Amino acid sequence: MKIDTLLINHEGEQVNFSNKLTSITKSLEIGQYPVVVKECSTLFEVVFRRIYSEALVSLPFAERNELVEYEKAIGKNIKGIQDFGLGELVGLFSKSKLLQKWSKYTGRDLGLINSMNFDSIVALRNRLVHADENCGQLEAELIFNYLKNLLAALGYINMEKAIVESFEKSPTIARGHVESEELADIRLIKERGVIINIADGTRNISFKVDTINQLFDTFLVEMNRSGNKELAQSMLWAMGFAGGKKFGSAINSQWDFENKGMDYGMKIDKWCEFDSQVGWGHVSNDIQIDTDSGEIKGHLYLRENFLCFNRKKKQEKLCNYMMGYCAGVLEELLDGTEVSFKCVCADCPQENPFKKECVFAVAIKE
């Protein structure tokens, strides 16, 4: 056990993060969902206290004074940060805008961390602890994902080291004549050989676009040898649709759980923003939803579609995969409403290299 994996909890006891995360994972697997929420809440408290302590020695003088004043106000000049419970810690972070201060000071992008609704975690935890209520798998998984997102945003390898390093200003990387900030949405944990997307806490892998498109090409070639090209394209759609349904279900459940009052249009816009950051291309839409008449009309736009990258006219199109994926996501965001999703692009980027945008018409499936 490395000493730098240890932090101190509310009761002054040492907490080993690696052991705790392993324990939470096991509790989730065997269905002990209230235990998952309670244990995650304990770790949130530990992380929040440690971030606050680091902020007091790292942020500019004026902002450090602000933090102290907020601490006094929330503790009513009776108790301080070490005696705060989860609700008070969340209140301190919210009112002092500590995460935003950290982001501004270091130049690091918070990604979706800034949109996390920690109040909902406090409310659920209080119901479990004080009202002796129960919770389900969805709630437990969402809160565990919240925790993993926060740890990933800190670049978690060991928590003590990560929190200290997270207050170091983010470097600017020069590549030729182009300068860009270090990507904050992806974390490579070299010791484990693992890539984490901090926006949703999930494990990712890195492929060159040519490599993934070659996989699709090989699949189509082998399928076409059977003499059924329609089946091959149908399978591309089905593969994308299954992935889209799974992802759409996860984000729709999370946004509903966070109770942000998001309507269908807001959810679709937020999805487009999210998926514009993962390498598909830039996703936008002008989809209009009339809940009174039950009509949906509009388009989804995909600029620089990765499935058209470096592809020739004579090569088979791979876009059925993306159309299936988008249809799957949309159906989940629209609470199961089936949609038709058709390519209406007048100038296909695969056929005309000077064109960059794919256009898909979206409507209620008849």
Side-chain angles (χ1 to χ4, degrees), residues 247 251 255 265-278 280-287 299-302 326 329-330 333:
F247 175 68
I251 58 174
W255 293 338
M266 293 168 65
K267 287 182 178 180
I268 293 172
D269 288 342
K270 192 172 181 67
W271 161 56
C272 288
E273 178 185 356
F274 184 97
D275 266 355
S276 292
Q277 301 176 30
V278 300
W280 297 124
H282 184 270
V283 190
S284 59
N285 78 95
D286 60 12
I287 298 172
H299 303 84
L300 188 122
Y301 304 92
L302 180 57
C326 292
V329 174
L330 282 172
L333 296 183

Side-chain angles (χ1 to χ4, degrees), residues 197-215:
N197 182 343
I198 69 168
D200 61 5
T202 58
R203 181 173 176 176
N204 284 224
I205 58 175
S206 177
F207 274 113
K208 288 197 298 185
V209 170
D210 287 334
T211 302
I212 190 68
N213 285 349
Q214 183 61 49
L215 292 175

Side-chain angles (χ1 to χ4, degrees), residues 137-175:
Q137 180 178 355
L138 173 62
E139 293 169 311
E141 288 180 343
L142 285 174
I143 288 183
F144 193 26
N145 284 334
Y146 268 24
L147 176 63
K148 290 188 291 185
N149 288 345
L150 183 59
L151 299 184
L154 294 170
Y156 172 70
I157 296 175
N158 66 69
M159 187 49 50
E160 184 77 11
K161 181 173 181 286
I163 291 174
V164 172
E165 289 183 350
S166 74
F167 275 88
E168 296 175 359
K169 294 190 176 181
S170 180
T172 297
I173 303 172
R175 295 190 179 97

Side-chain angles (χ1 to χ4, degrees), residues 7-27:
L7 289 177
I8 307 301
N9 70 4
H10 184 53
E11 286 75 29
E13 301 170 339
Q14 289 183 330
V15 175
N16 183 292
F17 265 81
S18 297
N19 291 346
K20 279 287 187 181
L21 292 174
T22 300
S23 175
I24 292 172
T25 301
K26 290 180 179 178
S27 295

